[in-house]
Amino acid sequence: MKYKVLIVVSSLIFFAACGQEKQQKQLTVTKPVTMEHKMKIEIWSDIMCPFCYIGKRNFEAALAQFPDKEQLEIEWKSFQLDPAMPEVPKYQDDMYMFVADRKGMSYEQSKKMHQDLIQYSKSVGLEYNLDKALVTNSMKSHRIIQFAKTKGLGEKAEETLFYAYFTQGKNLNDRITLIEFGKEIGLTETEVNKALTEPLYVTKVEEDSREAQALGAKGVPFFVVNRKYAIAGAQQSNEILQLLKKSFAEWQKENPQTKLETVQGESCTPNGECK
């Protein structure tokens, strides 16, 4: 199911300028792009949501065609679809039976539904090996993602854990397995253990989920662009691209680049040159 949600919120405009005046020639300087001067995109997902991984690929395809991607700040956020799920649920090693049991459908119906999903994943370049997927509570994965974000590794954590679950069939409830993947992301064993034990990272996961619900999210993936527009579900890349262009054009009007008319005189540089 594809649909779009329009969210109207107040926007903040970050504007800063500085300059010095001396006698001599004039230069025009464009303010460098910083995190405070980028259009923000927030993406809520659950590592065990098949459409979230597909949505990630579609979003990446849209970004590849977006000429101003360097002026985007992208933040991945947590959304647990089933916080109450046991770490070792019934039918953990049989996703078809697990879904059939929860949704009250036949095993054959569940398998057909998942085969269609496998074909869909192939259309965006993903390989879903659902025959060997191990269903589990996703909190431990989210805790690691939250810690990885503090190191600027949020997107890499998402990609690594998506791949581990849907393609490799890894048990993302197993601490040793999570430590291995943490190292692949760029974390140390100590950092992974910290993510899995400190209550702060559970709090961050829960805060993200509440924030998404407050913005109108009914499920994931859920993309919020510039806190003005939202895309719910795994939309096609061309639809995402159109929204990026529309949002960015509006954002540019609200956040014009600062240009300085500079009169250049004698000065000293940090490397010790004075002229």
Side-chain angles (χ1 to χ4, degrees):
M1 179 174 62
K2 300 177 182 179
Y3 56 95
K4 295 186 180 180
V5 182
L6 175 64
I7 301 171
V8 180
V9 294
S10 60
S11 60
L12 298 176
I13 299 177
F14 296 93
F15 182 87
C18 58
Q20 293 180 336
E21 294 189 0
K22 297 265 183 192
Q23 287 296 321
Q24 278 193 12
K25 59 183 180 180
Q26 285 191 333
L27 299 174
T28 299
V29 180
T30 300
K31 179 183 174 182
V33 177
T34 64
M35 280 299 187
E36 290 79 14
H37 206 73
K38 290 188 175 186
M39 187 179 81
K40 188 166 186 178
I41 299 174
E42 299 156 284
I43 308 171
W44 279 265
S45 71
D46 192 328
I47 207 67
M48 294 174 189
C49 162
F51 290 106
C52 290
Y53 201 8
I54 291 169
K56 184 175 186 294
R57 279 294 180 274
N58 288 342
F59 178 70
E60 289 165 349
L63 279 186
Q65 301 176 69
F66 185 64
D68 297 295
K69 53 182 170 288
E70 296 302 321
Q71 293 194 60
L72 301 179
E73 177 191 354
I74 300 166
E75 181 180 3
W76 287 87
K77 295 194 170 188
S78 298
F79 188 103
Q80 265 199 301
L81 288 171
D82 189 355
M85 181 186 291
E87 291 186 345
V88 184
K90 187 179 180 181
Y91 307 120
Q92 180 184 36
D93 59 353
D94 188 341
M95 182 177 285
Y96 307 139
M97 192 65 222
F98 173 82
V99 173
D101 182 63
R102 286 172 67 92
K103 292 186 175 292
M105 62 174 61
S106 71
Y107 185 86
E108 290 72 23
Q109 287 174 317
S110 176
K111 189 165 186 178
K112 172 63 169 59
M113 180 180 72
H114 285 89
Q115 292 304 313
D116 291 342
L117 182 59
I118 289 170
Q119 293 305 311
Y120 187 11
S121 72
K122 287 180 180 178
S123 72
V124 297
L126 296 174
E127 180 184 357
Y128 279 10
N129 294 314
L130 302 182
D131 289 339
K132 61 181 182 180
L134 293 173
V135 184
T136 188
N137 187 294
S138 60
M139 175 56 83
K140 288 181 179 178
S141 294
H142 282 297
R143 290 174 73 131
I144 291 174
I145 291 167
Q146 290 291 338
F147 188 93
K149 284 169 60 175
T150 68
K151 302 287 185 178
L153 297 169
E155 188 278 332
K156 188 173 182 181
E158 291 277 349
E159 180 66 29
T160 299
L161 295 172
F162 273 136
Y163 184 76
Y165 183 69
F166 286 108
T167 303
Q168 297 178 302
K170 296 296 184 179
N171 184 355
L172 298 185
N173 178 49
D174 179 70
R175 181 181 291 268
I176 300 303
T177 300
L178 289 170
I179 288 172
E180 291 175 0
F181 283 112
K183 290 178 179 179
E184 187 175 324
I185 292 164
L187 306 178
T188 66
E189 181 174 345
T190 299
E191 288 173 330
V192 174
N193 284 326
K194 181 177 181 180
L196 295 176
T197 55
E198 290 196 3
L200 169 65
Y201 301 102
V202 173
T203 300
K204 287 182 176 294
V205 173
E206 293 171 343
E207 287 176 347
D208 275 1
S209 293
R210 287 194 296 270
E211 185 179 22
Q213 291 166 356
L215 289 171
K218 306 297 183 183
V220 284
F222 189 68
F223 300 77
V224 174
V225 182
N226 196 28
R227 284 294 170 116
K228 292 179 69 176
Y229 300 99
I231 297 175
Q235 299 283 350
Q236 296 298 315
S237 60
N238 64 319
E239 295 172 329
I240 297 172
L241 179 60
Q242 292 308 309
L243 182 61
L244 287 179
K245 289 179 177 179
K246 172 182 171 65
S247 301
F248 190 74
E250 294 176 1
W251 178 85
Q252 279 187 310
K253 290 181 180 179
E254 298 166 354
N255 297 267
Q257 289 285 314
T258 303
K259 292 187 177 182
L260 306 178
E261 292 292 334
T262 302
V263 179
Q264 185 66 52
E266 292 80 5
S267 62
C268 295
T269 64
N271 61 11
E273 290 187 13
C274 293
K275 57 183 181 180

